[in-house]
Amino acid sequence: MNVAAAIFVDGLIDASWLFIVAVGLTLVFGVLNILNFAHGSLFAVGAYTAASAVGWYYGGNFGPAFLGYFVMLGAALLVAVAMGPLLERGVLRLFYRRDEVVIVLVTYALFLILEDATKLIWGVNPYYAYEPYGLLGNVSVFGLSYVGYDFALVGLALLTGVLLWLGLNRTISGKVVLAVIHDRDISGAMGVNVTRVFVVAFTFGVFLAALGGAFTAPKISVQPGISISVILLSFAVVVIGGLGSVEGAAIAALIVGLARAAAIHLMPSAELFIVYLVMALVLALRPEGLFQRTTTRKI
Amino acid sequence: MTGRVGTLGAALLAFAALALLGRILPHWFVLVATLAFAKGLVALGLVVLMRGGLVSFGQGIFFCAGGYAAGLAMRSLGVTDAVLLVALGGALALILGLIIAPLLAGYRGIFFATLTLALSMIAYGILDKTYSLGGSDGLNLQAPTFLTYQPQTSQEVSYALFVLASLLTAVAAALCRIHFDSIRGLLSLAARDNEIRVEYLGASVRWVSGTNFIISSLLGGIGGALAALSLGHIDPDFAFWTTSGEFVFLAILSGYASVTAVFVAAVLLELVRSFSSQYFPNTWQGALGIFLLLVILFLPEGLGSLVRRRRRTAVKPAPKPVESVK
């Protein structure tokens, strides 16, 4: 019983940050039709920026401790505004007419470049941003003690999901984005500024990656290599849920989170293996992922 | 028929020239070229797939299977003969390919790519934690022998490996050329353009894709065994997605028009990698990324298109593109 409860809670916590990152990846795929391998690097950039900002904030004694969370949010926003338009307008735009596999390779090249760029800027030594982690005290669930921050993260994931869903389905600009996802040529013909939707959607995707990174930073040591594990996991989540589906990303993040937690508790050596096993099983049964509508084959 | 004989003859000539060149070229270049040929073989397999409109992001699984087959045969069975080890590597990958092909032959596009990626990452995950196979440290291989020939110095070993790699490369390239120009090979191109039309012609796209996948698995295994022998080491990273990504890059860099371009591209990439890791030790990944971007931007059809373009303009004007019915 205790183990089951631990798996459930750990899986939920794991799923929360995974969802935030993966939903950004799925949004970018939905709108721009790009499977962005550099998404993990943007997560890393977000984590590094937040760790530096948090270190600066708590080092200087600027104000009340809880404002550190807003510093982290600001760091994520900064990364998004700086990197999103730069990458989309500066690089990706040049490759839109090409095969989707070629664009995957382009983002892979971006991943390599960003990986070295982060090493050049922040060095190879780990960063710790532990201050915000302890602020919310401890919570006891099913007789197990957890750090309150972890549950705040679950709340943040829920908030992100709900806001994103409402934004896409209940606002005019959200519906414009959905129209572009559905058919970019027709939306363009109807007067939608597709270019602007692309820039905004990509920047928002970068923001979600950086947000995930920024709020995960206090839990981990921020060091080179985190981007790879993040892209591998969020990639699996997005494929399981169905490329471009927000609901799918939520369910898949839960599945992957629970599967990983179960593996860690019961069979630690199978951690990465189990994620990809789930992915292969889902793909074998439903190649489009759990939540993707089957599209008719274009002749 | 003369075309086939001509292709094989050209391959043998190329092999003889390479074997001679290996004697003249500096030692480091021979090492780099051997590894490049090994990787080029895997990329050639990917080109076979790409002609049928499929891209696998998991060729690393066959690369890895070939490498581990060679490593384990050397360690457990005491086989040191390079020719036999490469054959074993190819055989294991081929068996793996025969098992996987029927499962994958029905998938297309990004789903095929992600499923192959998932399979290779499963292999990586298993090998990384299988401590009897060395875990994440992998296995070391000793210097191989070559049939009856037992090289004494490391220079001789690497030259002999280079000759073996050149031979395999030349033969594989010639056979692939012949395959590409055969009816089944041309059907791949047709399937890439329009699958339904191919089905209406009475051919099976599933069968074409499956065959291509099996060919690519065999080439992947041979390349993996060669790479393991030339590096003297094998670890789970052979199946990691960055390795597979490199093969995709090679295949895109060369394009699917020319088989020779694959190996030129492989040598070029290995050279860029060695030079950038020597001159920018901390930023060589970034340098490689920039190189990648520039190639994709300025050479959309790959290196092979350079050769083809020149040949066409020299011999006959390019045929008018037929309006495709979509």
Side-chain angles (χ1 to χ4, degrees), chain A residues 37 95 98 101-102 104-106 108-109 112-113 116 120 228 232 235 269 273 276-277 279 283-284 287 297 299, chain B residues 57 107 111 114-115 117-118 122 126 129 195-196 240-242 252 283-286 289-290 293 296 300 326:
Chain A
F37 263 110
F95 301 94
R98 308 278 281 277
V101 174
V102 172
V104 171
L105 264 185
V106 168
Y108 174 60
L112 290 175
I113 296 169
D116 272 358
L120 280 181
I228 289 196
L232 286 176
F235 181 74
S269 55
F273 164 74
Y276 276 83
L277 188 68
M279 174 171 152
L283 278 178
R297 187 155 62 155
I299 304 171
Chain B
F57 264 89
Y107 294 95
F111 304 117
T114 48
L115 201 50
L117 175 74
I122 289 176
I126 293 176
K129 302 291 179 193
E195 293 188 2
I196 292 180
F240 202 58
W241 65 274
T242 48
I252 300 252
T283 51
W284 68 272
Q285 277 198 37
I290 292 168
L293 276 186
I296 297 174
K326 283 239 167 178

Side-chain angles (χ1 to χ4, degrees), chain B residues 223-276:
Chain B
L226 265 181
L229 287 173
S230 88
L231 291 170
H233 181 74
I234 164 93
D235 59 50
D237 275 355
F238 272 49
F240 202 58
W241 65 274
T242 48
T243 314
S244 304
E246 201 183 312
F247 298 133
V248 178
F249 171 57
L250 268 182
I252 300 252
L253 176 59
S254 60
Y256 60 88
S258 155
V259 288
T260 324
V262 179
F263 298 98
V264 176
V267 173
L268 194 66
L269 183 64
E270 281 304 311
L271 284 178
V272 169
R273 188 207 308 276
S274 344
F275 276 107
S276 46

Side-chain angles (χ1 to χ4, degrees), chain A residues 72-279:
Chain A
M72 282 149 69
L73 186 67
L77 272 173
L78 181 74
V79 171
V81 172
M83 304 287 291
L86 177 76
L87 292 181
E88 204 276 338
R89 285 291 94 188
V91 183
L92 295 177
R93 179 174 62 91
L94 307 172
F95 301 94
Y96 283 153
R97 301 234 159 260
R98 308 278 281 277
D99 210 49
E100 60 184 356
V101 174
V102 172
I103 300 192
V104 171
L105 264 185
V106 168
T107 62
Y108 174 60
L110 284 179
F111 158 81
L112 290 175
I113 296 169
L114 284 175
E115 198 69 358
D116 272 358
T118 44
K119 274 187 215 156
L120 280 181
I121 297 173
W122 282 281
V124 291
N125 294 322
Y127 278 68
Y128 300 96
Y130 53 87
E131 291 93 342
Y133 194 50
L135 278 185
L136 299 174
N138 289 337
V139 182
S140 178
V141 184
F142 298 123
L144 298 164
S145 181
Y146 282 94
V147 181
Y149 182 86
D150 287 337
F151 289 96
L153 208 56
V154 176
L156 181 71
L158 282 175
L159 188 70
T160 309
V162 169
L163 284 183
L164 188 64
W165 190 88
L166 286 178
L168 279 177
N169 291 290
R170 293 285 182 272
T171 66
I172 296 285
S173 25
K175 294 204 167 177
V176 167
V177 173
L178 289 183
V180 173
I181 292 179
H182 190 73
D183 193 321
R184 81 173 66 152
D185 295 336
I186 300 286
S187 340
M190 305 285 264
V192 173
N193 187 344
V194 177
T195 311
R196 199 171 64 201
V197 172
F198 272 26
V199 180
V200 172
F202 187 78
T203 307
F204 196 67
V206 174
F207 170 66
L208 287 171
L211 186 72
F215 279 84
T216 317
K219 285 159 60 82
I220 58 174
S221 68
V222 183
Q223 58 190 15
I226 51 172
S227 49
I228 289 196
S229 48
V230 167
I231 188 61
L232 286 176
L233 286 175
S234 49
F235 181 74
V237 168
V238 167
V239 171
I240 291 173
L243 289 159
S245 159
V246 174
E247 302 91 319
I251 300 291
L254 263 182
I255 294 175
V256 168
L258 289 175
R260 274 187 82 206
I264 289 170
H265 279 280
L266 305 173
M267 216 180 127
S269 55
E271 189 194 329
L272 185 61
F273 164 74
I274 197 149
V275 172
Y276 276 83
L277 188 68
V278 172
M279 174 171 152

Side-chain angles (χ1 to χ4, degrees), chain B residues 46-323:
Chain B
L46 206 50
V47 169
V48 173
L49 271 176
M50 276 167 63
R51 285 175 73 91
L54 294 176
V55 178
S56 152
F57 264 89
Q59 280 314 91
I61 194 172
F62 301 118
F63 190 59
C64 186
Y68 269 90
L72 287 177
M74 188 177 258
R75 205 181 66 160
S76 313
L77 308 174
V79 182
T80 56
D81 183 46
V83 179
L84 189 57
L85 286 173
V86 169
L88 280 173
L92 183 73
L94 182 67
I95 293 169
L96 202 59
L98 282 170
I99 298 170
I100 302 175
L103 302 174
L104 286 183
Y107 294 95
R108 290 290 168 277
I110 203 90
F111 304 117
F112 181 82
T114 48
L115 201 50
T116 48
L117 175 74
L119 287 176
S120 76
M121 286 307 294
I122 289 176
Y124 171 82
I126 293 176
L127 286 173
D128 197 48
K129 302 291 179 193
T130 310
Y131 298 110
S132 57
L133 296 181
S136 58
D137 290 340
L139 305 169
N140 283 323
L141 281 74
Q142 62 199 78
T145 58
F146 299 83
L147 300 176
T148 54
Y149 171 55
Q150 266 183 311
Q152 298 305 319
T153 64
S154 67
Q155 299 249 352
E156 283 174 15
V157 174
S158 39
Y159 176 69
L161 260 178
F162 172 74
V163 171
L164 180 64
S166 308
L167 179 66
L168 288 168
T169 300
V171 171
L175 290 181
C176 278
R177 183 76 262 162
I178 290 170
H179 168 71
F180 290 164
D181 295 337
S182 72
I183 289 176
R184 174 164 290 154
L186 290 171
L187 265 181
S188 303
L189 282 185
R192 178 196 176 95
D193 282 346
N194 190 328
E195 293 188 2
I196 292 180
R197 217 184 286 164
V198 172
E199 295 277 348
Y200 271 81
L201 286 171
S204 160
V205 174
R206 227 188 135 84
W207 187 250
V208 169
S209 316
T211 320
N212 285 347
F213 190 72
I214 290 165
I215 295 175
S216 80
S217 70
L218 173 68
L219 287 170
I222 294 175
L226 265 181
L229 287 173
S230 88
L231 291 170
H233 181 74
I234 164 93
D235 59 50
D237 275 355
F238 272 49
F240 202 58
W241 65 274
T242 48
T243 314
S244 304
E246 201 183 312
F247 298 133
V248 178
F249 171 57
L250 268 182
I252 300 252
L253 176 59
S254 60
Y256 60 88
S258 155
V259 288
T260 324
V262 179
F263 298 98
V264 176
V267 173
L268 194 66
L269 183 64
E270 281 304 311
L271 284 178
V272 169
R273 188 207 308 276
S274 344
F275 276 107
S276 46
S277 63
Q278 190 170 353
Y279 292 107
F280 328 99
N282 298 315
T283 51
W284 68 272
Q285 277 198 37
L288 202 63
I290 292 168
F291 175 67
L292 238 157
L293 276 186
L294 291 178
V295 166
I296 297 174
L297 190 58
F298 294 112
L299 271 180
E301 298 283 310
L303 287 176
S305 64
L306 293 177
V307 186
R308 193 180 44 170
R309 215 177 292 159
R310 186 159 309 152
R311 197 182 294 159
R312 265 200 188 152
T313 44
V315 180
K316 56 180 177 182
K320 232 179 185 176
V322 181
E323 190 100 355

